[in-house]
Amino acid sequence: IIEIQDSNQMEEIPQQQIEQKEQSKEEQPEDMIAYGTKFLLGLFEKMNVEAEVSAFETSESITFNASGEKVSSLIGKRGETLNAIQDVLANVMKNANFRSRKFYFDVENYKNRREMSLINLADRMAKKALKIEKPIKLERMNAYERKIIHTALQSCEGITTHSEGEEPNRFLVIV
């Protein structure tokens, strides 16, 4: 508790309330968006990629989206570059004391397209596993992609899924 002397009286203000006021002052969404955008544009410049950055905010997260003519290099093989940029962005924002939200990075809606592709793959492979009555091993995937497939098939009758292997070569099996 911190005591504050005000003209004629002493008032006690809990430390938590002071910290919340300071945090809300520091963590305005427009400040987070400006900081993240500036960081990403600087990174893209160092990577020799011309891109525009837009941001979409919710109460829990801010998603930065890069767009432009030659932004595919920001995705990389299986989204590995995109994921690396997202990790770096999250750490940069955390180090700048923006901690009240999660930060995501996408390139021209790649993640949505990839999710739809994985759900379609899950459906096709589940049908194949049922038809041939043998387990189907999928290619290695990161945890997020494996979760999409596990979730897509969890209510599929006669199908179970599990992951095998060690990171970064962990893969999913449809049985």
Side-chain angles (χ1 to χ4, degrees):
I1 296 177
I2 296 178
E3 292 181 3
I4 299 176
Q5 191 166 6
D6 185 29
S7 10
N8 299 335
Q9 64 185 27
M10 297 289 280
E11 182 182 341
E12 291 185 6
I13 300 175
Q15 180 67 30
Q16 182 181 12
Q17 186 178 355
I18 292 170
E19 289 172 358
Q20 286 175 344
K21 284 183 181 179
E22 289 174 357
Q23 181 180 29
S24 64
K25 182 181 175 189
E26 291 175 15
E27 295 195 23
Q28 297 300 317
E30 52 275 1
D31 294 338
M32 293 183 235
I33 290 170
Y35 194 88
T37 299
K38 184 177 179 181
F39 165 74
L40 289 169
L41 290 173
L43 178 64
F44 301 158
E45 185 178 330
K46 290 182 185 335
M47 296 173 71
N48 294 317
V49 174
E50 287 187 37
E52 294 179 9
V53 175
S54 60
F56 174 77
E57 97 180 66
T58 68
S59 60
E60 290 132 21
S61 66
I62 295 176
T63 300
F64 294 91
N65 190 49
S67 59
E69 286 185 33
K70 298 181 180 180
V71 291
S72 61
S73 63
L74 298 175
I75 297 171
K77 186 176 182 181
R78 294 190 184 114
E80 289 175 354
T81 304
L82 184 147
N83 291 334
I85 292 171
Q86 179 172 301
D87 290 345
V88 171
L89 172 67
N91 284 324
V92 164
M93 298 302 281
K94 182 179 173 185
N95 289 337
N97 288 321
F98 293 123
R99 298 167 190 249
S100 64
R101 301 199 187 184
K102 292 185 178 184
F103 299 95
Y104 300 104
F105 176 69
D106 201 356
V107 176
E108 294 186 337
N109 236 0
Y110 170 81
K111 288 182 178 178
N112 273 348
R113 293 191 318 268
R114 180 69 174 152
E115 183 174 346
M116 292 297 109
S117 173
L118 289 169
I119 290 170
N120 288 333
L121 173 68
D123 185 53
R124 288 192 325 273
M125 293 300 110
K127 288 176 182 171
K128 183 176 179 180
L130 287 170
K131 183 178 180 179
I132 66 172
E133 298 180 352
K134 291 185 180 180
I136 306 274
K137 294 181 180 182
L138 302 181
E139 64 184 26
R140 71 182 179 98
M141 295 178 192
N142 64 40
Y144 174 74
E145 292 178 338
R146 291 192 311 271
K147 182 179 179 184
I148 290 169
I149 293 179
H150 284 301
T151 303
L153 296 179
Q154 72 184 5
S155 61
C156 189
E157 203 169 308
I159 293 291
T160 60
T161 61
H162 65 272
S163 296
E164 292 183 3
E166 300 293 322
E167 294 293 353
N169 297 315
R170 201 154 166 79
F171 60 94
L172 192 127
V173 180
I174 300 172
V175 184

